[in-house]
Amino acid sequence: MKILTIVGARPQFIKAATVSRVISKSTTCSEVMVHTGQHFDANMSDVFFQELDIPEPAYNLGVGGGTHGQNTGRMLEAIETVMLKERPDVTLVYGDTDSTLAGALAAAKIHVPVVHVEAGLRSFNKRMPEEINRQLTDHISSLLLTPNNVAVENLAKEGIAGPRVRNVGDVMYDAALFFGEKAERTSRILERLDLASKGFVLATVHRQENTDDVKRLGTILDGFARMARPVVLPLHPRTKQRIASFGLQVPGNVQIVEPLGYIDMVMLEKHASLVATDSGGVQKEAYFHGVPCLTLRDETEWVELVQLGWNTLLSPGAGDFLDKVGVLPAPGVPGASPYGNGNAADLVIDAIVDAFR
């Protein structure tokens, strides 16, 4: 069975690393990987393939840097060309990026079954491009592989149920277990940045709703200034550009670093006292490593982490944001396991073989 895998952004590289490792050992499946080029910077792309032992993509489409519409349209055309050449049995897409939607649309239009890993997530905020991408992808997918039971329930409310929906657990949890051990052995990021374990806050900011709104972005930076511990901020290229164009000042307690590879990022997540982020993936990674998370958004797809007390939602648009942002949340409920047992990648391939052989 030939699987055509579509990736394009940092979270997808991490997810693909776990599943591709299983495919490489399979006697029934082979993989052709397509990198759309959505994340084309070396710090956001190349380093992940190197660190995570992902095979070099068979195709790199070089599509990135445009608007959502430009990216999706160009990717759709280029991916279709690859599919017509490769004739895959299934197309595998991850998450909720423009690459996800373009890959799913291209496959559905030429009647190649679509497998969506991380299906069923909902923020219920259609102003987020990611929400549009994930909903449309779910509704044209042949096999929907969810990370948790909440996602299964979300799909059922939209009329998507039955054997095409399977809860396999979260492949990001697989990655956290595997690469968490590797980070402890190989990463030297704490020494390089002169950081003490549990002596700093790790922050990431990249979502359009925060970076493109000068008031929200300024409020987030003001909030970092109120943190009781130093803040380490790996700076996303878009966020860097917006800070400069808006003329905003980075607080003195914030240590700016270039975007990091996955291994160094995992090490910082494990040893932070708090993670403050607007990233869906980083929210979960904080939980996997037992670190409280402050989510800088109006809502989250990972509602179970809020319910378990590991995730605290704090909107940069709220009037009390600056009063609350400096308070260190307590750890949440220990021992919960909403994302499976660390074998999600194996279950992904089992589900694909079972559905399409």
Side-chain angles (χ1 to χ4, degrees):
M1 179 183 300
K2 182 189 285 189
I3 299 172
L4 188 79
T5 297
I6 308 294
V7 296
R10 172 194 182 273
Q12 294 166 332
F13 306 148
I14 300 165
K15 295 163 193 168
T18 62
V19 177
S20 294
R21 191 179 306 113
V22 176
I23 294 175
S24 69
K25 300 174 183 176
S26 172
T27 58
T28 57
C29 298
S30 63
E31 182 177 38
V32 176
M33 184 171 290
V34 178
H35 184 348
T36 65
Q38 182 172 336
H39 279 176
F40 52 86
D41 184 275
N43 287 337
M44 301 290 286
S45 177
D46 295 352
V47 67
F48 287 92
F49 283 85
Q50 296 160 9
E51 288 186 343
L52 306 184
D53 297 324
I54 307 173
E56 281 295 315
Y59 299 88
N60 193 322
L61 306 180
V63 179
T67 65
H68 289 291
Q70 290 170 338
N71 285 343
T72 306
R74 293 168 184 165
M75 290 174 189
L76 176 58
E77 181 179 9
I79 292 169
E80 182 185 61
T81 299
V82 173
M83 288 181 177
L84 292 173
K85 176 182 177 182
E86 291 289 343
R87 297 292 179 181
D89 296 296
V90 298
T91 294
L92 178 60
V93 297
Y94 295 92
D96 54 20
T97 70
D98 293 340
S99 301
T100 308
L101 179 59
L105 282 171
K109 285 178 177 292
I110 58 174
H111 310 297
V112 175
V114 177
V115 179
H116 187 198
V117 172
E118 209 175 71
L121 299 186
R122 296 292 182 267
S123 69
F124 304 103
N125 177 5
K126 288 192 176 181
R127 291 182 60 84
M128 293 174 57
E130 296 88 351
E131 182 74 0
I132 301 300
N133 291 342
R134 63 173 72 106
Q135 288 197 28
L136 292 175
T137 299
D138 282 341
H139 281 268
I140 58 177
S141 291
S142 303
L143 182 62
L144 299 98
L145 304 179
T146 71
N148 55 34
N149 285 322
V150 173
V152 175
E153 294 167 4
N154 288 338
L155 292 171
K157 292 174 184 176
E158 296 176 15
I160 305 173
R164 60 191 283 231
V165 177
R166 305 192 189 189
N167 181 11
V168 297
D170 198 326
V171 295
M172 292 288 282
Y173 185 37
D174 297 23
L177 295 176
F178 184 87
F179 292 106
E181 296 179 2
K182 182 176 180 180
E184 292 287 354
R185 295 193 311 269
T186 64
S187 175
R188 297 295 175 265
I189 189 68
L190 296 180
E191 295 87 342
R192 199 162 78 240
L193 299 182
D194 194 24
L195 298 171
S197 181
K198 304 304 177 182
F200 64 96
V201 173
L202 175 64
T204 74
V205 182
H206 80 281
R207 286 199 181 271
Q208 187 173 332
E209 65 198 73
N210 286 331
T211 60
D212 291 4
D213 184 321
V214 63
K215 185 175 180 181
R216 285 177 74 102
L217 186 54
T219 298
I220 290 170
L221 293 175
D222 289 344
F224 291 162
R226 299 197 178 196
M227 296 284 187
R229 291 177 171 87
V231 178
V232 177
L233 178 61
L235 198 56
H236 190 282
R238 180 172 62 238
T239 312
K240 181 178 181 179
Q241 192 276 331
R242 295 296 188 274
I243 290 173
S245 65
F246 291 148
L248 298 173
Q249 297 296 315
V250 177
N253 68 320
V254 175
Q255 183 175 2
I256 297 291
V257 297
E258 291 296 313
L260 297 169
Y262 185 59
I263 300 300
D264 283 342
M265 191 65 179
V266 165
M267 193 66 172
L268 291 180
E269 289 167 348
K270 293 185 71 173
H271 290 273
S273 59
L274 171 71
V275 170
T277 185
D278 61 7
S279 163
V282 174
Q283 289 175 48
K284 282 186 302 169
E285 289 165 0
Y287 166 72
F288 295 151
H289 301 304
V291 177
C293 180
L294 191 65
T295 295
L296 309 172
R297 286 170 52 187
D298 300 334
E299 71 289 303
T300 180
E301 302 83 358
W302 307 105
V303 293
E304 60 279 358
L305 295 184
V306 177
Q307 295 165 353
L308 291 170
W310 285 100
N311 193 347
T312 301
L313 271 176
L314 188 55
S315 170
D320 59 355
F321 178 84
L322 292 177
D323 294 327
K324 293 183 176 180
V325 73
V327 179
L328 182 64
V333 177
S337 183
Y339 302 115
N341 300 311
N343 65 336
D346 293 284
L347 296 180
V348 165
I349 299 306
D350 289 346
I352 291 173
V353 171
D354 181 58
F356 301 112
R357 63 186 169 187

